[in-house]
Structure formats: C-alpha cells, structure tokens
Amino acid sequence: MSGRIALLAGGTGLVGGACLRALLRHPEYEKVHLLTRRDVPELAHPKLSQCVVVFNAPETLKLPACTDVFCALGTTIRKAGSQPAFRHVDLKFPSPLPA
Ligand SMILES: NC(=O)c1ccc[n+]([C@@H]2O[C@H](COP(=O)([O-])OP(=O)(O)OC[C@H]3O[C@@H](n4cnc5c(N)ncnc54)[C@H](OP(=O)(O)O)[C@@H]3O)[C@@H](O)[C@H]2O)c1
C-alpha cells in the first residue's frame, strides 16, 4: 500500500458506485472516505469510512484528510424538480469539496 486516501461524494449512485468499487479494490488506496446524505450499511468494507453529511450546509462539513477527491454527485431536472434545484445539486454541492 502506498497510502493514498480517497474522498468520494456520490458513491451511492451509478457513476460513483463504479468509482467506489474501483477505489476499494485498488491496491494504492488504503482508505476511502465516502460522503453521503444517509447511512449505507450495505456498502460496509474494511477500507471504507462513511461520513454522513448535510450537503446543503457546507459550513458544517468537516472533511477528512485525503490525497484525492472524487465527486459523482448529480441529479436531473426531473428528479430535482426544477432547473435551479438541479443546478444546486450539480454545481453548488461539489463546490466546498477540496480542489
Ligand atoms: N449515468 C451516466 O451514464 C452518466 C454519464 C455521464 C455523466 N454522468 C453524470 O454523473 C453524475 C452522476 O450520475 P449518476 O448516473 O451516477 O447519478 P445517480 O445514480 O442518480 O447518483 C447521484 C448521486 O448524487 C447523490 N445526490 C443526488 N441528489 C442529491 C441531493 N439532493 N443531496 C445529496 N446527494 C444527492 C445521490 O445520492 P443518494 O443515493 O443519496 O440519492 C447519488 O450518490 C451526474 O452529474 C451525471 O450527469 C452520468
């Protein structure tokens, strides 16, 4: 192990789930911190640490130290209910994540 630590948001979705599985089996990653809005016990894995956060309250986000950030958060206008709500999830939510 070379000590890489991933921070992943959106790991419960289609794209993020594929990213999560790739990170968990990647030998260079010793830890994956998953930011979610809900506890997801079925994703339990020895390398995984789940952090339940309120994406809508970025001032409350306490992000764990990491070497790499992956963001697969996203929605659709239909799911979000409106264009502004869609933009909020797709553009605002990722913005407090480290660049
Ligand atoms: N699917 C594709 O083929 C594809 C291709 C190219 C690009 N993309 C882009 O990749 C991104 C993810 O797509 P996807 O298909 O993986 O979407 P998805 O399966 O719907 O997953 C969306 C992720 O974002 C989270 N999320 C959505 N709304 C949220 C909210 N209001 N608060 C907190 N978390 C929220 C979901 O969490 P929950 O599980 O808690 O809902 C989930 O982790 C999108 O921007 C999409 O446009 C997708």
Side-chain angles (χ1 to χ4, degrees), residues 18-98:
C19 184
L20 177 62
R21 290 189 292 280
L23 288 166
L24 290 175
R25 65 173 176 258
H26 199 298
E28 285 187 19
Y29 283 90
E30 67 175 32
K31 190 93 194 161
V32 179
H33 294 292
L34 177 65
L35 302 186
T36 59
R37 57 176 162 174
R38 60 199 163 86
D39 196 24
V40 197
E42 63 271 24
L43 293 181
H45 185 281
K47 280 163 69 169
L48 186 66
S49 143
Q50 293 192 37
C51 318
V52 177
V53 298
V54 181
F55 288 99
N56 225 0
E59 69 283 359
T60 66
L61 285 182
K62 291 194 177 74
L63 299 175
C66 63
T67 57
D68 306 286
V69 175
F70 300 84
C71 182
L73 286 174
T75 188
T76 59
I77 294 173
R78 183 189 288 190
K79 272 193 210 166
S82 68
Q83 168 102 201
F86 158 73
R87 289 178 63 84
H88 198 74
V89 173
D90 268 48
L91 298 178
K92 279 266 186 216
F93 283 3
S95 59
L97 299 177

